[in-house]
Amino acid sequence: MDKFAFVIHPITIEDVTRKFPVAKRLPQFVVERALRLLPPFKVSDITGVKASGNEIAGEFIACPLTSGQLLGLPGEVTLQKIIHSVKLAEKNGARIVGLGALTSVVGDAGITVAKNVGVPVTTGNSYTVYTALEGTRKAAQLMNMEWSKANIVILGATGSIGSVCAQFIARENRYLTLVARQQSKLEGLANKLLYEYGVAVKITSNIREAIRKADIIIAVTSSLDAVVHPEDLKPGSIVCDVARPRDVSYRVALERNDVLVIEGGVVDVPGDPDFHFNFGFPRGKAYACMAETMILTLEKKFVCFSLGREMTIEQVEEMGRLAGKHGFKLSGFRSFERALTMEEISSIQDNARRAQLKLTV
């Protein structure tokens, strides 16, 4: 049976205290210092993933650094921890290893990791892009929004996910705004879209200004803090939050019943999968980035697939085709760690209509 592994890490210090309750009694800096010394370890087995007459097995491997540490510690420290995590998976028999959450972002998005291990590595970003766009298009249909005429904003547009999302959208929509911190990278991406698709997009580093005009927001930043807040959103707008840690403030769930927020990249896994680890989803569902590693294993395609910050449309389309072949599919909508019903989406539509009427009176 072919075997894969997926590297995860605690998003916040609270994730560490849930796993190790004794850590609740310690100051945060002590816990973080202990994490730096702790070697990677196996979290659980993954069983029951079956498709196309084939069954595969997997493992979750913990890279014991929080999101803050992965972004704040020296690059050499974080890269070595990720490399050791992948080497543990390799030692345990994995034929391909997926990098989850910020382990796929730090450094050069997996390229250096892949050069220092003996097993193929993927970030899962191709299938994440595929499902995020698929889910956002369906959400637009449900909210009676015309995709080609919507004002679409991408937060974190110059990252590996954001830039290829921009290329897909530029093929179908001319009202696109790219948001990122570095002006030179924004200008480079805008020039590429103008040259290849004939679309003159807007660029800005002002998140709030862009959000206030947006009908649809695709959020893929690597920010540790929320960047989308309730007071900035238009009634009836749609936010697809792909980032982990999330980009959308929890206050949006509490204060804006006229806005549809969906989590990007949640899929149903074929077979009778059991992850033997609770990452917040019902049994059988996984993040698309996790699923990409499973899909490549089922396909026996043991190669580095999604690496670096220059993904292509062809990679994303190939991953979408392989996902369909093996029975992976977009799950129903989820928002703030729970499933959304059609009745709730209908209620959001009604609330948005009323809020829009108030604005026009």
Side-chain angles (χ1 to χ4, degrees):
M1 188 183 298
D2 290 319
K3 193 171 179 181
F4 67 95
F6 193 79
V7 177
I8 58 177
H9 68 84
I11 300 296
T12 65
I13 204 73
E14 286 73 26
D15 292 335
V16 180
T17 57
R18 275 195 293 275
K19 177 71 175 174
F20 304 105
V22 68
K24 291 181 181 177
R25 304 174 193 166
L26 303 173
Q28 180 171 330
F29 78 91
V30 174
V31 177
E32 289 181 340
R33 189 172 298 171
L35 288 176
R36 285 189 65 169
L37 299 174
L38 187 67
F41 58 91
K42 174 182 164 182
V43 175
S44 70
D45 290 306
I46 301 170
T47 59
V49 181
K50 301 175 187 176
S52 312
N54 189 14
E55 181 173 359
I56 58 177
E59 291 181 351
F60 280 127
I61 300 291
C63 174
L65 291 175
T66 65
S67 302
Q69 289 177 300
L70 282 164
L71 292 179
L73 289 172
E76 182 61 25
V77 174
T78 56
L79 276 175
Q80 283 304 312
K81 188 80 91 173
I82 298 168
I83 288 168
H84 289 154
S85 302
V86 174
K87 284 186 173 178
L88 174 61
E90 181 183 357
K91 181 182 174 184
N92 291 349
R95 300 192 64 186
I96 187 167
V97 181
L99 302 178
L102 290 180
T103 68
S104 68
V105 174
V106 298
D108 49 12
I111 292 175
T112 299
V113 174
K115 288 178 179 175
N116 285 275
V117 298
V119 65
V121 172
T122 189
T123 62
N125 284 348
S126 293
Y127 196 38
T128 294
V129 170
Y130 187 88
T131 55
L133 291 173
E134 184 182 12
T136 308
R137 287 192 190 95
K138 285 187 178 179
Q141 287 177 352
L142 290 173
M143 293 291 284
N144 298 319
M145 193 181 293
E146 195 169 346
W147 177 264
S148 64
K149 295 182 178 177
N151 183 13
I152 301 179
V153 170
I154 302 177
L155 306 180
T158 55
S160 59
I161 293 178
S163 61
V164 77
C165 277
Q167 294 175 61
F168 270 99
I169 294 171
R171 301 195 304 188
E172 307 159 349
N173 178 298
R174 307 184 71 82
Y175 308 101
L176 179 60
T177 301
L178 310 178
V179 185
R181 285 176 296 185
Q182 294 189 34
Q183 184 73 13
S184 59
K185 287 188 175 181
L186 279 172
E187 290 172 354
L189 179 57
N191 289 336
K192 177 183 175 73
L193 297 180
L194 180 61
Y195 178 76
E196 295 188 3
Y197 305 102
V199 177
V201 303
K202 296 179 181 176
I203 59 174
T204 180
S205 57
N206 190 326
I207 292 178
R208 296 190 70 179
E209 183 180 280
I211 289 175
R212 287 174 176 175
K213 300 174 183 173
D215 299 313
I216 296 173
I217 300 161
I218 297 175
V220 289
T221 82
S222 55
S223 171
L224 288 176
D225 301 313
V227 296
V228 179
H229 301 286
E231 55 271 22
D232 297 326
L233 292 163
K234 284 171 58 176
S237 56
I238 298 166
V239 188
C240 179
D241 192 356
V242 185
R244 288 297 175 275
R246 64 172 60 253
D247 278 341
V248 182
S249 165
Y250 276 102
R251 289 199 297 118
V252 174
L254 300 174
E255 299 174 20
R256 294 299 301 267
N257 61 7
D258 58 349
V259 170
L260 177 58
V261 179
I262 60 174
E263 294 174 358
V266 182
V267 299
D268 292 333
V269 177
D272 184 23
D274 192 340
F275 298 102
H276 301 281
F277 175 67
N278 181 9
F279 50 89
F281 287 0
R283 182 166 173 169
K285 297 182 188 299
Y287 288 112
C289 56
M290 296 176 180
E292 180 171 309
T293 316
M294 301 176 203
I295 293 164
L296 291 170
T297 307
L298 285 164
E299 185 68 16
K300 297 185 181 295
K301 193 177 178 73
F302 301 117
V303 298
C304 292
F305 194 83
S306 304
L307 288 185
R309 306 198 185 282
E310 298 293 332
M311 285 199 306
T312 65
I313 283 180
E314 288 74 22
Q315 277 178 291
V316 175
E317 289 178 334
E318 181 182 0
M319 186 50 59
R321 181 183 62 77
L322 292 177
K325 172 183 174 182
H326 293 292
F328 290 76
K329 61 181 181 182
L330 186 70
S331 186
F333 291 114
R334 291 180 63 81
S335 183
F336 295 99
E337 281 87 36
R338 67 177 187 82
L340 270 179
T341 66
M342 293 305 296
E343 288 74 20
E344 287 174 305
I345 294 173
S346 179
S347 176
I348 290 170
Q349 278 182 300
D350 292 340
N351 294 330
R353 201 174 299 119
R354 282 192 285 271
Q356 287 162 347
L357 279 174
K358 281 185 182 177
L359 290 176
T360 56
V361 172

